[in-house]
């Protein structure tokens, strides 16, 4: 078990799609353990294998709070089998040290994956919980997609990246998500009305 170096935004391999795991070998188990060690060392909520330079379809998540016992979750060859609803998620990423911005996410997801022992499981996360949002964030990494690709306010995101000495937004990577954006607009309107 060891702590790996986390690649920063701007590294080309973060944009590459990762490959399926064919066998949960000893080598893969070591990678899973290293991902967990690295995530905990950096106080992260999640970490995907491509972030440590291993382009395999693996990520780990732990959404437990400080006063709860650790709850490591391992996802190998994950597939999102259902998604619905929308939410606004204020996100950061270990590959974007200290930068945070609002992004579009589904509120509910159902995911199928294998655990560290190669056993298949299905998990549902609802109502825009941290787990629901983390699953989408980490899953994206396996396809070379980064959280800023879902940004809601380009100027805000751009300023945040600049403030933390990170490369600018990659405009050609921005995702067009009209249905999600429509839902997000409704949420923003409701928020504005509440404030008045
Ligand atoms: Zn990330």
């Amino acid at each position: 078990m060891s702590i790996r170096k986390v690649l920063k935004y701007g590294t080309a391999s973060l944009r590459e799609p990762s490959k399926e795991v064919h066998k949960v070998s000893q080598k893969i188990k070591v990678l899973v353990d290293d991902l967990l060690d690295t995530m905990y060392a950096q106080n992260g909520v999640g970490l995907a294998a491509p972030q440590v330079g291993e382009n395999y379809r693996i990520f780990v998540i732990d959404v437990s709070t400080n006063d709860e016992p650790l709850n490591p979750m391992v996802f190998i060859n994950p597939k999102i089998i259902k998604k619905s609803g929308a939410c606004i998620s204020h996100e950061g990423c270990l590959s974007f040290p200290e930068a945070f911005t609002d992004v579009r996410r589904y509120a509910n997801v159902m995911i199928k994956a294998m655990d560290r022992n190669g056993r298949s499981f299905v998990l549902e996360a609802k109502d825009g919980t941290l787990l629901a949002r983390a699953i989408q964030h980490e899953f994206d990494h396996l396809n070379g997609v980064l959280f800023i690709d879902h940004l809601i306010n380009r100027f805000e995101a751009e300023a945040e990246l600049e403030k933390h000495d990170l490369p600018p937004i990659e405009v050609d990577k921005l995702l067009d998500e009209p249905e999600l954006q429509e839902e997000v607009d409704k949420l923003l309107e409701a928020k504005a009305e509440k404030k008045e």
Side-chain angles (χ1 to χ4, degrees):
M1 307 228 278
S2 54
I3 294 168
R4 306 267 193 117
K5 186 176 165 245
V6 177
L7 301 178
K8 268 204 202 178
Y9 176 50
T11 308
S13 65
L14 285 177
R15 286 301 192 179
E16 282 161 22
S18 291
K19 49 188 179 290
E20 295 264 326
V21 173
H22 291 298
K23 184 173 175 265
V24 185
S25 60
Q26 196 51 37
K27 186 189 144 194
I28 291 294
K29 286 185 179 179
V30 168
L31 173 57
V32 165
D33 294 340
D34 287 356
L35 283 171
L36 287 166
D37 283 351
T38 308
M39 175 182 74
Y40 289 127
Q42 307 260 353
N43 290 313
V45 169
L47 186 65
Q51 290 180 277
V52 299
E54 301 268 11
N55 283 74
Y56 285 107
R57 301 191 75 81
I58 304 172
F59 63 77
V60 297
I61 287 179
D62 189 332
V63 291
S64 63
T65 53
N66 286 338
D67 51 358
E68 289 170 349
L70 293 182
N71 180 25
M73 303 172 96
V74 175
F75 300 78
I76 300 174
N77 295 343
K79 292 202 166 55
I80 292 184
I81 49 181
K82 240 202 253 175
K83 49 191 182 186
S84 65
C87 64
I88 298 167
S89 178
H90 193 63
E91 290 183 22
C93 176
L94 291 179
S95 295
F96 293 71
E98 289 171 61
F100 288 86
T101 200
D102 284 343
V103 299
R104 294 182 287 263
R105 292 292 183 197
Y106 291 95
N108 315 302
V109 286
M110 192 186 269
I111 188 166
K112 188 179 177 207
M114 274 190 302
D115 65 15
R116 191 184 176 279
N117 297 311
R119 276 194 285 263
S120 170
F121 66 94
V122 173
L123 178 76
E124 198 171 10
K126 289 181 151 187
D127 303 322
T129 51
L130 181 56
L131 178 60
R133 293 177 287 126
I135 285 172
Q136 296 171 70
H137 177 121
E138 301 309 331
F139 182 82
D140 271 351
H141 274 297
L142 310 184
N143 296 325
V145 174
L146 302 172
F147 77 113
I148 49 166
D149 303 344
H150 298 278
L151 63 81
I152 290 171
N153 184 325
R154 188 167 152 191
F155 299 100
E156 202 178 272
E158 197 86 71
E160 185 72 2
L161 293 182
E162 203 184 316
K163 188 170 134 195
H164 298 287
D165 289 322
L166 289 159
I169 304 281
E170 293 167 69
V171 180
D172 60 319
K173 303 284 187 194
L174 291 180
L175 295 163
D176 191 24
E177 299 169 307
E179 281 159 37
L180 212 44
Q181 185 58 47
E182 204 176 296
E183 294 294 314
V184 164
D185 285 340
K186 281 184 210 158
L187 291 171
L188 288 171
E189 263 169 45
K191 237 189 191 175
E193 266 167 35
K194 239 186 191 173
K195 264 186 200 160
E196 276 166 17

